[in-house]
Amino acid sequence: MRVGVVCPYDLARPGGVQGQVVGLAAALRCLGHEVEVIAPGRLSTASTAATTAMAEAGCRPVGRSIAVPVNGSLAPMAPHPSAAWRTRTVIRRGRFDVLHVHEPMAASITLPALTTGVAPIVATFHAAGERTPYRLFARPLRRLAERIDHRVAVSQPAADLAARYLGGSYEVLFNGVDLGSYSPRPAAPAGPPAILFVGRHEPRKGLEVLVRAHALLPGAVELWVAGEGPETERLRRAVGSDRRVRWLGRLSEAEKRRRLAEAAVLCAPSLGGESFGVVLLEAMAAGTPVVASDLLGYRSFVGGSGAAVFVPPGDAAALAQGLARVIHDQPLAERTRRAGSLVARQFSFDALARRYEEQYEHARAHAATRS
């Protein structure tokens, strides 16, 4: 089957949706499908790390991205007409058996992708929480959504958001993780215990809460802060000369996996707006215990498995207590680690790709009936 995958975000920029697009595309190729990814990106042929990464992902770039405010963050999207025109051109020339559009209602190339009408469409909805564009433009977006042949959501909160404004029914397929890229966890990582944060430094990710929680922890517990964002400099000034805090900057995938394996605990202190939580799943695959905010998006796939210790979002004292428990209570850490490994095994990209094969066939059957 020839599959055209449309991503609204620049693959050269790190992000949860981008990681899912690349991982799922690779798994589909392993199953014998021909997959082409269409996404924002530079059209230059110059050899750069960004263009190399996009080429390895089998990506066709359709125009430079710009930072667009979305859900308290800045998303690298391409809302300009030239990118829309290139997207429609690539799709019409692609002769795809099915078109897989991620985050179809984003203000990027996914909206024009829905209007081509040349292949059955499977759409995956990632967003959760409250989204202003859905509320303001519900009527035209609902009409546009009628072009989708089969709808998928990465969590129940994501399905609830889409159904509330767009109507329709949604198959819930959780995000995936590349289990083969994670090595067995070292028995006893050297050095003082470390808390790892991976994410964009912006208010909704809760890094400031984690920084305050870490300050409450006694002893030599380190805090490793990966990523960057608009809050980086302010938080670095707030931390001051505390040598226990290490600012790692943006990590490569290999470096992120290494840090996950070496950390005593992965902390996800988000305040809200999370539909899933891929980094939690990656930590579980690496055999690292997880402490996270008690959000519906995280609970949706962890459930009552015991694979994470949950604390109230925004409560630095409770977060410090949860982190201290996992770091110093080795039986608890081991139980959390084992439960996390069991959860991670259920979410391999290989299994997800096989589930999407079924969704593609549903979309083709629906399109044939509609025609």
Side-chain angles (χ1 to χ4, degrees), residues 98-138:
V98 68
L99 199 62
H100 186 171
V101 182
H102 288 262
E103 207 65 289
M105 301 304 160
S108 187
I109 64 170
T110 46
L111 284 173
L114 297 179
T115 67
T116 54
V118 297
I121 296 175
V122 171
T124 298
F125 293 79
H126 294 261
E130 187 57 47
R131 297 298 174 99
T132 300
Y134 276 108
R135 188 176 69 253
L136 295 180
F137 306 107

Side-chain angles (χ1 to χ4, degrees), residues 125-249:
F125 293 79
H126 294 261
E130 187 57 47
R131 297 298 174 99
T132 300
Y134 276 108
R135 188 176 69 253
L136 295 180
F137 306 107
R139 185 172 296 178
L141 290 179
R142 183 180 285 252
R143 288 199 298 268
L144 195 58
E146 292 175 357
R147 297 171 178 264
I148 298 170
D149 294 288
H150 193 72
R151 308 183 192 195
V152 177
V154 301
S155 67
Q156 193 57 52
D160 293 341
L161 171 66
R164 184 160 67 250
Y165 291 104
L166 305 178
S169 59
Y170 299 79
E171 179 100 12
V172 175
L173 294 183
F174 295 120
N175 285 318
V177 65
D178 182 6
L179 296 180
S181 64
Y182 292 91
S183 302
R185 179 180 174 84
I195 303 163
L196 176 63
F197 170 90
V198 179
R200 185 168 168 79
H201 303 174
E202 58 196 15
R204 77 179 182 92
K205 291 296 185 179
L207 177 56
E208 182 175 6
V209 179
L210 175 55
V211 167
R212 289 193 277 115
H214 176 255
L216 298 175
L217 295 174
V221 177
E222 292 188 346
L223 173 59
W224 296 347
V225 182
E228 55 189 25
E231 295 252 286
T232 304
E233 291 306 316
R234 182 179 70 81
L235 292 175
R236 291 190 72 150
R237 289 194 299 269
V239 168
S241 60
D242 189 345
R243 295 184 178 180
R244 299 182 304 161
V245 182
R246 299 174 61 183
W247 300 86
L248 306 178

Side-chain angles (χ1 to χ4, degrees), residues 282-297:
E282 292 173 333
M284 293 172 189
T288 302
V290 171
V291 174
S293 295
D294 196 353
L295 303 177
L296 185 58

